[in-house]
Amino acid sequence: MYTNDQNVPTVKLKYEQSNGFVTAKQQGFFIKGPLPMEWMSKAALLPGKAIQVALALWWLAGMKPQQKIKVTRQALKFLNVSNDAYRDALLRLELSGLVKVSRLRGQ
């Protein structure tokens, strides 16, 4: 019936001592903190969509705490950032010393 497990409808449950398992409240997206305000302030001073790209980076870093982050189209779409604006903003963040970017040929 389902060819991809991600398409299977699911319901999150939580356990309460008094009631047993109950449906958990749905939470929206959030950015895991703490966010360094000095870093965010520098990103906010940059022109274009730099602050939106900075927020996308922190959002993705909170979901997968690794050294390297690959920015997804979902993150850019959610923050209303086009591909061109993303490339410009990432370059500005890199030139200001806020992020380090490793580019692979053809990507």
Side-chain angles (χ1 to χ4, degrees), residues 33-81:
L35 300 178
M37 287 307 291
E38 185 177 336
W39 191 92
M40 284 292 171
S41 176
K42 289 178 184 177
L45 291 172
L46 297 173
K49 299 262 184 174
I51 190 67
Q52 285 93 329
V53 172
L55 289 171
L57 293 172
W58 277 99
W59 180 41
L60 294 169
M63 288 190 286
K64 295 183 180 178
Q66 308 170 14
Q67 287 289 332
K68 295 183 181 181
I69 301 166
K70 186 168 184 175
V71 178
T72 63
R73 289 183 185 184
Q74 177 192 11
L76 296 178
K77 184 177 180 182
F78 188 72
L79 292 167
N80 197 28
V81 179

